[in-house]
Structure formats: structure tokens, C-alpha cells
Amino acid sequence: MPVPVTNLLPEEISEALALKVYQGRQLFRWIHAKQVFDLDAMTDLSKQMRQDLRSRVFLPQIRPMEVLRSCETGDKTQKCLFGLADGETVESVAIPERDRLTLCLSSQVGCALNCAFCATGQAGFRRNLSAGEIVEQALYLLRDSDRGGRTPNIVFMGMGEPFRNYDAVAKAIRILMRKDGLNIGARKITVSTVGDVPGIERFAAEKWQVRLSISLHAANDALRSKLVPLNRTYPLAQLLDAARGYCQKTGRQLTFEWALMRGVNDSVRDARELVALMPGLKAAVNLIPYNRVEGLPYEPSTPEACRAFQSVVESAGIKATLRRERGGDIDAACGQLRTRQASTPPERA
Ligand code: SAH
């Protein structure tokens, strides 16, 4: 069986392919530092070895099927739909902002957690991604986008729940951080969870500085259980316990995500409820106007409601960033491109 080499660290490549240690490192460097997948282009490997490896490595594991570039002025948000070897599809987004370039990666095909407002959950769960299928999304986006000297940030905010595919996500992070690969600093990587408590506890025990984001969206159990069904398994008291434990254990700050939905979770009262949860936590709040999803009844909050919400949180001394909606014209919200693709054939292959 050909070896899916992007699942592996350099030492593991050498072992899996019975290569010398330095040869595994060479292969790793070509793939991750230079984003080269074509064995023929790996000129410091002997011709004989390239020939030999051709039938022994499974590379790449994912192939871009459709690339959409946002037309919004000054916003070159780029979204890519990838085909996997078994015919499944996933998507990722590259979002450039002044001195930053954020890559939003998927961790699963579909998602089992069925958040009421999210496009990904609508089609259910298909399967976990391998570490290589995760890492290759970043490699492609970087190869394909104008980096302009910017170092990328990585957020696990695409399709799927990263903590329901913990091992592959953790392995992907270790590969992304390798100095002889993409060399992305731990603080530039954020894992976003819907609130999977065992995952948060495991993450808190990791010896790394990778950031954690929790998708809160509601600060009382009645509303949160409606929006995020996993709240019935891990209600707010338990989730906040785990969040406080994370802050204490790691000394790090975490972020709460809050998608502002008109008339659902965007009132001053909702903001006050959120503020009341914050004692004992080192946390900042990320506010995102909801991105419409076809077929779902949720609407983005008005700019006035967004600002009023933000101002209540900030007046309590909590940092609250109001994000701009990005890439709306290319369905950049989580799961939307794949959802559209499932019903209509791609126009551009
Ligand atoms: N499962 C993980 C990561 C994927 S979703 C999680 O829930 O955190 C990344 C973020 O996008 C989450 O905060 C999610 O709630 C939010 N999100 C999903 N659909 C959205 C939409 N249509 N508009 C705005 N935010 C959305």
C-alpha cells in the first residue's frame, strides 16, 4: 500500500519508507517547506529514488476541485473545495488582512454535532480527515495565494469538530509547527471547539502554546441547547468549569466565539448574561455577524445591534472584537461551498 506521507513527521517518513534519516527529512522539506508534491521536482533525491518512490508514496491525498476568489474590494478571500481519494469533499478558506493571512482548515468531512445555524451540520457526518488531509489544505492554500511576506495564522474553524478528531488534529498541528516544514508558531494556531469538554481537558494538558477558542453563542442553557445540541451533554456549568480549568492549568487566555444572530442572541440582555459568566476566566470575546445559510432561518444582526452588544461586553472590561463578515459573495461561511456543490455540479473543475 502506498504510504500517505503527509500524515507523517520526517522521522516517521524515513521509517515507513525504509529510507535513511536524511532522506525522510529531504522529502518532508520538499513537501512542507516548499509545497512541492511532484517527486520529479525533488532534485536532491536521486533519479533512481524518485522512480522507486513513485509507486510507494500516496501524495497528494487531496486535490483542489474548485477555487473561488472573493470579489469584495480589497478582500481577496479565497475558498477552495478539495476532492479526497474516496470521492468526499472538504473546503478551506484563506483570508488575507493587512499584515495577516488566516487559513481556515477543516478537520472532518461533515459534522455530527448539528448546530442549528451551521451549514456543515445539515448534511451530517461522513468521516474524519487524516493528519495529511488537514495539513495539505494549508500547503495548497499557501502555494496558491499571494502571501506577500505574511506569516500565516491557522484556525480550525472550517468543517467539523476538531476535538472529535483529536489525534489527527494534534498530529497535523505538530507537522505544521515543524521548523523544517511550514514552521508555524504555536501561538499562530487556534483550535475552535463547539464545547467538547473531554477535548478541552485533553488540550489543557498539551505542552504547547496553541490557542483555544470555544464557540459559545449563548450564555444560558435553554438557548444554547437549542443552538448547540452538544450543550445537552455538556451544559454551561460543565463547559465553564473546563474553560476555567484550562486557564488555570495553562495560564493562557482563551477566546469565546459568538455569532450574532438577529433577534436570537444579540440583545443587550444576552450581552449581560455573557458578562456574568466571565469571572474566573481569562477570556476575550470574538463577535462575528452571522453568515446567512440557505434554507436556515437565521439572519445576521444589524450593525447597530452588533456594536451595542460589543459595547456592553467592553464596558465590563472584557476585550470584544467585532469581526467583519468576510467572503459573503463566495459562501465563505463554514460548510457552504460543499453544501452547494452537493446539489449542483461545479462550474469550474
Ligand atoms: N466545530 C468547531 C469549529 C468549526 S465552526 C466549532 O464549533 O467551534 C467555526 C466557527 O464558525 C464556530 O464558532 C461556529 O459556531 C461558527 N459558525 C458556523 N456557521 C456559521 C455561520 N453561518 N455564521 C457565522 N459563524 C458560523
Side-chain angles (χ1 to χ4, degrees), residues 96-296:
E97 281 169 299
R98 280 190 221 102
D99 53 342
R100 285 204 308 198
L101 173 65
T102 303
L103 309 181
C104 179
L105 307 185
S106 292
S107 56
Q108 299 181 311
V109 184
C111 185
L113 299 179
N114 210 15
C115 295
F117 52 85
C118 176
T120 302
Q122 306 308 307
F125 175 70
R126 305 285 302 180
R127 72 166 170 88
N128 279 329
L129 294 178
S130 67
E133 287 170 330
I134 296 170
V135 172
E136 286 184 24
Q137 296 169 47
L139 296 174
Y140 269 111
L141 288 174
L142 286 175
R143 201 166 69 165
D144 211 38
S145 59
D146 174 18
R147 238 196 278 191
R150 293 174 286 217
T151 45
N153 291 297
I154 304 246
V155 298
F156 284 87
M157 294 187 186
M159 296 164 57
E161 166 53 37
F163 286 167
R164 290 294 169 100
N165 185 18
Y166 195 102
D167 291 333
V169 168
K171 184 68 176 286
I173 290 172
R174 293 202 164 86
I175 294 172
L176 292 166
M177 292 198 298
R178 278 293 288 228
K179 293 249 179 322
D180 47 356
L182 278 176
N183 190 20
I184 298 180
R187 289 192 191 82
K188 292 185 151 276
I189 302 176
T190 302
V191 176
S192 177
T193 178
V194 67
D196 182 79
V197 166
I200 296 171
E201 288 167 353
R202 197 170 162 195
F203 196 77
E206 298 280 1
K207 303 261 171 299
W208 59 25
Q209 306 280 314
V210 178
R211 294 176 187 273
L212 177 66
S213 210
I214 297 176
S215 299
L216 204 59
H217 307 312
N220 68 71
D221 279 320
L223 178 58
R224 193 163 191 276
S225 292
K226 246 172 77 185
L227 296 175
V228 178
L230 190 69
N231 192 69
R232 294 170 205 153
T233 311
Y234 305 112
L236 277 168
Q238 230 175 306
L239 176 58
L240 293 167
D241 243 9
R244 279 188 291 265
Y246 171 86
C247 295
Q248 274 160 16
K249 200 160 178 182
T250 63
R252 291 198 290 277
Q253 175 183 292
L254 55 77
T255 307
F256 285 126
E257 302 285 326
W258 194 287
L260 286 158
M261 296 170 239
R262 190 183 306 176
V264 174
N265 65 348
D266 65 348
S267 70
V268 164
R269 195 170 147 228
D270 292 299
R272 292 203 179 114
E273 258 177 9
L274 167 60
V275 167
L277 300 182
M278 299 297 262
L281 279 164
K282 267 171 72 173
V285 177
N286 242 337
L287 302 169
I288 316 128
Y290 179 68
N291 252 308
R292 272 190 198 90
V293 175
E294 213 182 295
L296 296 184

Side-chain angles (χ1 to χ4, degrees), residues 1-33 36-37 39 42 45 49 52-53 56-59 61 131-132 135-136 139 171 175 178 180-181:
M1 278 287 276
V3 177
V5 283
T6 48
N7 292 355
L8 306 174
L9 293 161
E11 310 75 61
E12 296 169 332
I13 296 179
S14 307
E15 200 178 307
L17 293 169
L19 302 176
K20 302 238 164 59
V21 171
Y22 78 91
Q23 292 169 325
R25 288 193 186 135
Q26 280 174 316
L27 198 54
F28 185 88
R29 212 173 303 127
W30 277 110
I31 298 168
H32 297 273
V36 167
F37 305 133
L39 288 164
M42 303 184 182
L45 299 175
M49 168 156 304
D52 170 58
L53 286 179
R56 298 177 59 216
V57 304
F58 171 29
L59 176 74
Q61 298 189 55
V135 172
E136 286 184 24
L139 296 174
K171 184 68 176 286
I175 294 172
R178 278 293 288 228
D180 47 356

